[in-house]
Amino acid sequence: MTNDTGHSEAEHDAVTLDNLLRESREFPPSERFASQANATPDLYRVADRDRLAFWADQADRLRWETRWDEVLDWSDAPFARWFVGGRLNVAVNCVDRHVEAGHGDRVAIHWEGEPGDTRTITYADLRAEVSRAANALTELGLRAGDRVAVYLPMIPEAVVALLACARLGLTHSVVFGGFSAEALRARIQDAEAKLVITSDGQYRRGKALPLKSNVDLALRDAPSVRHVLVVNRTGADVEWTADRDLWWHETVDRQSPEHTPEDFDSEHPLFILYTSGTTGKPKGILHTSGGYLTQAAYTHHAVFDLKPETDVYWCAADIGWVTGHSYIVYGPLANGATSVMYEGTPNTPHEGRWWEIVQRYRVSILYTAPTTIRMFMKWGSDIPANYDLSSLRLLGSVGEPINPEAWIWYRQHIGGGATPVVDTWWQTETGAIMISPLPGVTATKPGSAMRTLPGISAEIVDETGEPVGPGGGGYLVLTEPWPAMLRGIWGDDERFRDTYWSRFADRGYYFAGDGAKYDEDGALWLLGRVDDVMNVSGHRISTTEVESALVSHAAVAEAAVVGASDPATGQGIVAFVILRGDATEHAGGDELVAELRQHVATVIGPIAKPRQIMVVPELPKTRSGKIMRRLLRDVAEKRELGDVTTLQDSSVMELISSGLGKPA
Ligand code: WTA
C-alpha cells in the first residue's frame, strides 16, 4: 500500500522519525484529493484582490431575508458591524431551508448515547423539534434579546435548545457540563439569564451522574432566573422547585411542530460564551448572527471539504466549548451536513469506542484535539487497527499545538497514511477557524497550522508591532477585522479594549495572546499562550482563577499557579501554596493536598484540578512583589533554574527546589 507521498508504509515509518527531528517533512495534497476539493488555490488570489468582496461572496452561502447594504462598518473600531442592514434567521439557515430545498429526509444527527442508545434525527425532525422548543420558550415568556443558560450533556436536546434560542433571537450562554455550581452561578449572574436548560443527570464513564443538583445550588443566588427546563436523561431523582422547574418532555413535546420564524438584524446577539482571561473573572465573549454564521459556514466548507450529500462528519468536541458551537452546531448545520454526535467518554465501555462509531456510521471527516490523539497513542495503535476506518478521508485538529509525533500518528493510524490532516488555529474570540491548511491545496508540515485562510489577515510581530520575517518569532496578531470576530465582552467594553486592542493600539491589531513563529519557508507554527492562561487538554484555564480558588480555602494563605508542560495534557496545572500559620501545624500533608485539589474542582470544575500541589514556605517574588511564575515553571518542569537576580530573596528558590516544598 502506498500513501499519497508515494512512500510504502514501512518507508513511511522510517522517514517519519527521521523527519520529526528536522520538522521539514511535507505532505503535498494528493492529486485525487485535489481534483475533488472544495478549496482551490484561486481562493487566496480572489480574497487578496478584494477582501470585502470575497466575504460578500461567502455571505451568499446564507439565506438573507433582507440583503445587507454594506459588508463591513469599522468606523467604531474595535466594535465591528458586518453585513450592515442585512436580516436573517440563523435557525432557518441551519434547518428550515434544507427541508425546503428537499433535504428533509437527510440525517442531520446520528446520535449515540454513552450507554449505547441511539437516535437518528433528520432535518425534517430537527425542524419539528426546534419549532416545538421555540413555541415552548415563547410560552415561558421569553422574548428576543433575553439570555438563556444551557447546561446540558451531549444529547440532541442541546442542539435543539441552541437552535430554538437562535430562532427566537434569544442569546444563549452554554456552560460546560463539567463546570461546578459556583462557576455556573457566576455565568448565570453575569448574563442575567432568565431561563436555565439542563438535564436531571448525565452519563460519564459508565455512570449516571447528577447535573440538575448543580443548577439548584447555583440558583440559590441568581434572582434573574424564572424557570429551569429539565431534560429527563438518566431518570435520576431530582429535587423540584414548584413554579420554577419544568420537565422538557411535558413542556416541549405537547407544542405544535410549526413555528413561524421572525428575522433579525445581522448584528443581533446570537450567543455569549465564557472563557478564561488573565484575571479570575471569566469573560463573556459575545458573538452575533450574520458574520458569525458566514464564517462558520465558509470555513466548514473549505477546511473540512464537506460534501453534504455523501460525507458523515464528526466533530468530537463538547457543545460547552466554542468548537462545539461552530463545528457541531452552526457550521455543519448551515451547510446541511450529516453529523455524528456522541455523548460519552472514549473508553466507555472499551478503548475502541470511537473507532466502532467511525466504522458503524462510515464517518468520513473527524475533528478532534491533540490531547485526545495523544491518549489514543498511549492506548496503542492496535486498538484502531481492529476497526474498518477506510471511510475516513479528512482529519482535523484543534485546541492546542499538535506535536509532530501526534500529527504523524493521527494520519498514519487513523487516516490510513493517506488522509490530509488540517491543524486549525482559532479561539472562542475569533468564532471560527482563522489559520489552517486548505485540504487539496496546501502542502502540510506535521505540527504547523501553515497559513491564514483566504479572507483572514494575521501577522507575527515583535514587541513594537513590527512584522518578523521568515525564521522569526513573536506575537500572533490579527491585522484586519473578520466576520466571526467577537463583538465585545458582555457588559465590559473597557476590558474588551484592554485585553485585545491595547497592546498594539497604534496599529489597530487584535492581540491573540499566542506566541508563534515562521519557519524558513514561511509556514506558521503556534507556540502556546504568552499570557497567564494555561491550556490543559485544550481547555483554557487562567492561573489567577485557580489561585483564587486555592486561597478561598481556609488553610491557604497564598498560592501561585503555573502551567507546566505535560506529555499527555499539553500543560498540567502545578500549584505552590503557602499555608496559614494555624493550618501548618496540623497540615496532614497528603490529606490536605487532596482536599485542596478537591476544593478547586468544587469551585471551578474537575478540569481545573491541579496535577500537583506543593506546600512551600515562601514564593519567589520580584522586588515589586510580582510572583515569578517563570521560576516556578522551571521547578515544576524540573529544569535548571533561570535567572534569579531580580528575586527579592533568592534563597526562596533553594528552599523550594531543595525539597522543602512538599510535592504531592
Ligand atoms: C489554543 C479553541 C495551537 C491557542 C478553538 C488559542 C491552538 C486557544 C490551536 C483558544 C492550534 C487553539 N494550535 N494552539 N491549532 N487551536 N489553540 O478559546 O492558545 O478554547 O489562543 O478556542 O487555544 O482556545 P479556545
Side-chain angles (χ1 to χ4, degrees), residues 236-271:
D237 285 339
V238 287
E239 281 186 27
W240 208 250
T241 303
D243 299 332
R244 187 195 71 184
D245 299 351
L246 301 156
W247 284 111
W248 174 285
H249 59 270
E250 289 173 6
T251 316
V252 175
D253 292 2
R254 64 180 160 78
Q255 303 287 338
S256 159
E258 307 287 330
H259 176 267
T260 310
E262 273 177 70
D263 45 68
F264 297 97
D265 191 273
S266 177
E267 285 300 332
H268 189 79
L270 179 63
F271 67 85

Side-chain angles (χ1 to χ4, degrees), residues 322 399-401 423-428 514 526 529 535 540:
V322 75
E400 47 177 326
D423 174 19
T424 63
W425 178 90
W426 58 295
Q427 309 177 297
T428 305
D514 277 311
L526 276 315
R529 303 289 307 184
N535 190 328
R540 278 162 71 173

Side-chain angles (χ1 to χ4, degrees), residues 497-514:
R497 290 177 195 275
D498 279 0
T499 311
Y500 305 107
W501 304 97
S502 64
R503 182 95 176 224
F504 300 107
D506 49 331
R507 300 181 189 242
Y509 292 165
Y510 168 92
F511 173 64
D514 277 311

Side-chain angles (χ1 to χ4, degrees), residues 275 321-323 367 370 397-402 423-430 435 447 449 512-515 525-530 535 538-540:
T275 186
W321 309 110
V322 75
T323 307
Y367 192 30
S397 171
V398 62
E400 47 177 326
I402 179 164
D423 174 19
T424 63
W425 178 90
W426 58 295
Q427 309 177 297
T428 305
E429 292 86 341
T430 69
I435 303 176
D514 277 311
W525 298 74
L526 276 315
L527 303 173
R529 303 289 307 184
V530 294
N535 190 328
H539 303 318
R540 278 162 71 173

Side-chain angles (χ1 to χ4, degrees), residues 142 146-150 165 170-174 193-197:
L142 292 152
D146 288 345
R147 272 82 59 207
V148 174
V150 176
C165 288
L170 307 171
T171 304
H172 57 72
S173 163
V174 181
K194 285 196 178 153
L195 173 73
V196 181
I197 306 181

Side-chain angles (χ1 to χ4, degrees), residues 94 98 103-111 119-123 126 300 304 306-315 327-329 331-341 360-366:
C94 291
H98 305 311
H103 306 310
D105 293 338
R106 184 186 295 163
V107 174
I109 303 171
H110 288 291
W111 177 79
R119 284 163 72 181
T120 308
I121 299 166
T122 64
Y123 275 91
L126 194 58
H300 185 261
F304 298 117
L306 181 87
K307 308 287 191 284
E309 316 281 333
T310 47
D311 275 316
V312 178
Y313 162 84
W314 182 15
C315 167
Y327 297 107
I328 292 177
V329 183
L333 292 175
N335 290 340
T338 295
S339 297
V340 163
M341 183 174 173
R360 178 170 320 134
Y361 299 99
R362 308 267 327 135
V363 172
S364 54
I365 304 167
L366 178 66

